[in-house]
Amino acid sequence: MRHGIVMFTSDRSIAPATAARLAEEAGFASFCVPEHTHIPVRRDAAHPRTGDSSLPDDRYVRTLDPWVALSTAAAVTSRIRLGTAVALPAEHDPLALAKTIASLDHLAGGRVTLGVGFGWNTDELADHGVPPGKRRTVLREYIEAMRALWTADEATYDGDFVSFGPSWAWPKPVGDVPIVVGAAGTSKTFDWIARTGDGWMTTPGEGDIRDKITTLHRTWREAGRVGLPEVVALAGKPNLEQLDEWAAAGVTETLFGLPDRTEPEVAEYLHRLAGTLADR
């Protein structure tokens, strides 16, 4: 089981490049950042953790662009994987986003993992023209269209929300860009993953995930997928007994949150966390 770091980037935090370099030096396998293009002041959508329109952290309104952040991280690292936890592709033009991700993966030497979400903030999605009740369909079509651009010499796609004729688009990603879906562990989510994704990322505070992983594996097999899906678990404080249980259940990677602290404090936290995990 791999261990990675997720940083809630903002305009007041240490630089993502600095955090990624420190994480790589401490031996972590991945470095991830989130995405929100903006937060509408008036919202009908409740935040999953607060249950109402209030936000648990003001960094939601201060989040850096994930692809700019990860490009700076790519320039100062060589091994650590670079991912999103999570990005919101439905808020972008899929042809332009495909170019951005492919360019980053090309320049980073094939280190990009695309963690995606359907988007809890439906008001944010509405500002991007995503119709009510169509988040999952839009995301599926965008992912399929981007994969076509990443893999075909002459790509085409014809859907309800994105359509283009034979087109050239380079660079291509170095290899496959894994797509991990960050959403509640429900049958609906797992059906979507088995059809379109490469794995599941838990949501913050998700309960016992062992039975959910069993359901995901069954859904995966029933869909005719080979192997096993990636399972990325968002972790709090390191609980070694829980980590062993997760590994046995099929978790392939954990992500630990980075404190919003100074560079020396972040470096100390990472080395302390790495030491704790090495004791397993």
Side-chain angles (χ1 to χ4, degrees):
M1 186 169 64
R2 307 179 303 275
H3 301 296
I5 295 297
V6 57
M7 177 187 184
F8 203 144
T9 54
S10 78
D11 58 358
R12 67 160 185 251
S13 66
I14 66 170
T18 300
R21 175 179 54 79
L22 292 172
E24 182 172 83
E25 291 173 354
F28 287 94
S30 60
F31 176 78
C32 299
V33 297
E35 176 175 34
H36 283 285
T37 58
H38 69 299
I39 300 291
V41 174
R42 185 196 176 282
R43 299 186 313 283
D44 294 321
H47 188 277
R49 286 171 58 190
T50 65
D52 55 32
S53 62
S54 63
L55 298 170
D57 193 312
D58 74 338
R59 285 177 292 181
Y60 280 88
V61 306
R62 312 182 75 92
T63 310
L64 303 184
D65 178 274
W67 306 110
V68 174
L70 291 177
S71 68
T72 65
V76 298
T77 59
S78 60
R79 176 191 57 80
I80 199 166
R81 289 200 66 84
L82 306 170
T84 47
V86 291
L88 301 167
E91 298 185 350
H92 297 271
D93 178 284
L95 287 89
L97 183 60
K99 172 73 74 173
T100 296
I101 296 172
S103 297
L104 175 61
D105 193 70
H106 167 74
L107 294 172
R111 292 187 282 143
V112 173
T113 296
L114 177 57
V116 302
F118 300 120
W120 64 266
N121 194 338
T122 52
D123 302 281
E124 179 182 353
L125 290 169
D127 286 347
H128 288 282
V130 179
K134 294 295 184 179
R135 295 176 299 166
R136 293 168 183 262
T137 302
V138 171
L139 180 60
R140 176 180 56 78
E141 288 195 3
Y142 280 24
I143 293 298
E144 291 173 349
M146 290 194 296
R147 279 178 168 154
L149 291 162
W150 291 338
T151 58
D153 286 348
E154 289 190 5
T156 64
Y157 191 80
D158 185 19
D160 293 331
F161 298 98
V162 55
S163 182
F164 53 87
S167 301
W168 296 318
W170 273 269
K172 306 296 185 185
V174 173
D176 291 335
V177 175
I179 296 174
V180 179
V181 180
T186 65
S187 296
K188 187 175 182 180
T189 293
F190 296 154
D191 286 342
W192 197 100
I193 291 171
R195 178 179 180 183
T196 306
D198 300 302
W200 173 47
M201 182 184 296
T202 67
T203 56
E206 190 130 19
D208 186 359
I209 62 175
R210 289 173 295 182
D211 290 344
K212 295 178 180 181
I213 294 173
T214 298
T215 300
L216 170 61
H217 285 176
R218 183 178 65 251
T219 305
W220 187 265
R221 292 192 301 270
E222 290 173 351
R225 302 289 296 270
V226 298
L228 291 173
E230 288 287 313
V231 178
V232 181
L234 299 182
K237 293 181 179 180
N239 180 323
L240 299 186
E241 182 178 349
Q242 181 185 64
L243 292 177
D244 288 338
E245 292 175 355
W246 281 358
V251 172
T252 55
E253 184 169 6
T254 59
L255 291 179
F256 292 89
L258 205 62
D260 192 16
R261 298 286 188 267
T262 65
E263 180 178 340
E265 291 172 313
V266 167
E268 180 183 358
Y269 167 80
L270 287 169
H271 284 285
R272 186 170 64 250
L273 176 60
T276 299
L277 296 172
D279 291 337
R280 290 181 59 247

